[in-house]
Amino acid sequence: MFAISLGDGAELRPLEPWQAEEFLAHIDRARDLVDQHIGFARAAADLVSAEALLTSYAQKRAADSGRLYGIWLDSTLVGGVLFRVFDAKGGNCEVGCWLEPAGTGRGLVTRAARVLIDWAVEKRGIHRVEWHVSSANEPSINVARRLGMTREGVLRESYLFDGIRQNTEIWSVLAPEWREQKSAAAL
């Protein structure tokens, strides 16, 4: 298995069905933070559903329509990033993330998302990378900003979560913009 260093004792690795027990323990630590804005943690309520969630992403990976990666900090799973949607033929994808409290405030998601975006753009030819986020999720909005994404608009009251209609902000970066940012950072 591969691991990509994110610095400061952190690594990015594939998150696979055989890791369901470790994933569930992590999600239990992350649940309160993650469930404020999305139902991702709720999809892993027990070992069976945790394995089913990881299996669904293994199937997406096999179909080249999504991928899931964990972020380990000092050998402990503390969060992850994913291609929730991946359409290589159309040149579009959506990147997402989650973290438990022990992983926050370290720049881990920003660094991990950069790895995913760079791979998508440079290796797979993706032209447009999107970031969908609840307008109430300021930490995730800040990641989109740090990634150099542009806020394109708000889908007002676009989904129901915990009985309340939520707004979704759409952020994106296009391949030429991504490459320009990388070139500017290299100077």
Side-chain angles (χ1 to χ4, degrees):
M1 175 178 7
F2 75 85
I4 297 171
S5 174
L6 298 174
D8 302 320
E11 291 182 329
L12 182 68
R13 299 184 226 152
L15 194 49
E16 300 175 356
W18 63 269
Q19 297 165 302
E21 193 171 323
E22 180 180 18
F23 176 67
L24 179 60
H26 152 64
I27 287 296
D28 284 343
R29 296 187 302 270
R31 203 169 297 284
D32 289 341
L33 184 61
V34 173
D35 276 349
Q36 290 178 31
H37 304 288
I38 58 173
F40 184 77
R42 294 175 190 178
D46 55 31
L47 191 55
V48 171
S49 57
E51 186 173 3
L53 177 62
L54 296 178
T55 298
S56 74
Y57 271 91
Q59 291 167 342
K60 281 185 167 196
R61 182 177 180 172
D64 200 25
S65 64
R67 293 168 187 263
L68 186 65
Y69 299 92
I71 299 171
W72 278 262
L73 180 62
D74 299 324
S75 301
T76 299
L77 181 61
V78 296
V81 290
L82 65 141
F83 289 113
R84 198 184 73 73
V85 175
F86 194 87
D87 176 9
K89 185 176 180 182
N92 300 305
C93 70
E94 179 191 339
V95 175
C97 68
W98 76 94
L99 274 176
E100 66 179 67
T104 61
R106 301 169 181 263
L108 298 174
V109 164
T110 303
R111 286 182 265 165
R114 278 191 181 115
V115 170
L116 264 62
I117 294 169
D118 201 57
W119 177 83
V121 169
E122 301 301 345
K123 300 294 183 193
R124 297 303 309 278
I126 294 292
H127 178 73
R128 176 184 171 83
V129 179
E130 294 184 356
W131 189 271
H132 295 202
V133 58
S134 164
S135 293
N137 190 346
E138 196 63 35
S140 187
I141 291 169
N142 288 336
V143 171
R145 286 185 180 116
R146 285 191 296 274
L147 292 169
M149 293 183 157
T150 299
R151 181 177 181 252
E152 295 184 335
V154 177
L155 302 175
R156 299 177 308 138
E157 299 184 5
S158 62
Y159 70 99
L160 188 64
F161 186 70
D162 283 345
I164 300 169
R165 300 296 306 177
Q166 304 290 318
N167 294 337
T168 301
E169 294 190 15
I170 308 298
W171 292 72
S172 74
V173 64
L174 304 178
E177 297 165 341
W178 184 254
R179 290 182 182 114
E180 184 177 315
Q181 286 179 44
K182 281 178 39 181
S183 293
L187 296 177

